[in-house]
Amino acid sequence: MSENVVQRLRDEIENGIISNDFAPGARLDEVQLATRFGVSRTPVREALMQLNAIGLIEIRPRRGAVVIDPGPHRIFEMFEVMAELEGLAGSLAARRFTDADRTTILAAHADCERSSSAGNSDAYYYDNERFHKAIYAASHSGFLAEQCVALHRRLQPYRRLQLRVRNRVATSFAEHGAIVEAILAGDAEQARTLLRQHVSIQGERFSDLVATLASR
C-alpha cells in the first residue's frame, strides 16, 4: 500500500470534514469512501485510523468512523498549549542547534519561501510542517519533540484552514524569517517569544479561524 495514496485519501477526507462536506456526526462508510475515491478499503481504513489519531473522527463500536466537532473552545485550548510547546522547542533549539540543524532549518525555510512566493497554500502547509519539525529536532529533547509532533498532528486540519485566510501564508513566512534569525543568533528568549506569537490564535487570528469554521 502506497503511503502517498493514504496521504492523499487522508487529505481528501480531512478537506471534506473542514469544508463541512462531511458534517459533524456523519458516519464515514469505508465502502462508500473507497468507491468515491476509486481505491480499495485498505488505504481508506488506514486514512481513517490516522484521522482518528488526531481526533478529527472517532471510531465507535457498531457505528464505525464518525466525524467529531471539538468546538472553538477546545481548538483554542489546543493552540494555547501548542504555542507553549513550540516556544520551548524554539528556546532549546537556539541553545542547542548543531551545524546539521542549521542546514535543515534553512532548507525547510527555503522550501517555505518557494511555496509562499507561488501562493500555494497547500504546498506551504507541508513545507510549514517540515519547518516546525526541524525546530523540534533542533531542540534535542526527544520527549518534547514527541509531544510537539503529536499535538501538531491534532491541529493539522485547523492549521490548513488558517493558511487559507487571506495573506496568512505571507504573514506566516515573514514570521518564520524572524524565528530563524533568533534561533541561529542563539537568542533563546526571542525565539521562545516569536514562536509563541506565531502559533497563538489570540485576537484577530482566533476570530478569523472561528469565522472560517462557521462559514463551512
Side-chain angles (χ1 to χ4, degrees), residues 124-199:
Y124 185 84
Y125 169 79
Y126 291 109
D127 293 333
N128 178 66
E129 181 179 11
R130 284 189 289 273
F131 174 78
H132 284 271
K133 284 184 176 179
I135 294 173
Y136 307 158
S139 75
H140 292 277
S141 170
F143 181 75
L144 176 60
E146 288 170 7
Q147 301 310 304
C148 286
V149 168
L151 188 49
H152 187 102
R153 282 192 190 126
R154 294 201 67 176
L155 288 168
Q156 279 179 327
Y158 311 107
R159 286 176 179 262
R160 189 190 291 271
L161 271 181
Q162 277 188 302
L163 292 174
R164 291 176 181 170
V165 172
R166 187 182 297 110
N167 297 325
R168 179 56 196 157
V169 168
T171 302
S172 173
F173 177 69
E175 292 170 355
H176 281 190
I179 290 164
V180 170
E181 185 177 326
I183 289 174
L184 298 187
D187 190 336
E189 283 309 307
Q190 179 72 344
R192 181 195 297 269
T193 298
L194 291 173
L195 270 158
R196 286 176 63 188
Q197 292 172 348
H198 178 64
V199 175

Side-chain angles (χ1 to χ4, degrees), residues 50-66:
Q50 290 184 16
L51 292 171
N52 177 67
I54 65 172
L56 204 55
I57 66 170
E58 187 176 272
I59 298 177
R60 299 174 179 172
R62 296 181 296 279
R63 282 204 68 194
V66 178

Side-chain angles (χ1 to χ4, degrees), residues 85-140:
L85 290 177
E86 293 252 5
L88 177 57
S91 174
L92 293 178
R95 289 162 44 193
R96 300 174 177 175
F97 76 88
T98 64
D99 288 342
D101 293 326
R102 178 199 297 270
T103 299
T104 303
I105 290 171
L106 289 174
H109 186 50
D111 288 341
C112 286
E113 181 175 22
R114 278 190 288 274
S115 52
S116 173
S117 297
N120 187 336
S121 64
D122 284 335
Y124 185 84
Y125 169 79
Y126 291 109
D127 293 333
N128 178 66
E129 181 179 11
R130 284 189 289 273
F131 174 78
H132 284 271
K133 284 184 176 179
I135 294 173
Y136 307 158
S139 75
H140 292 277

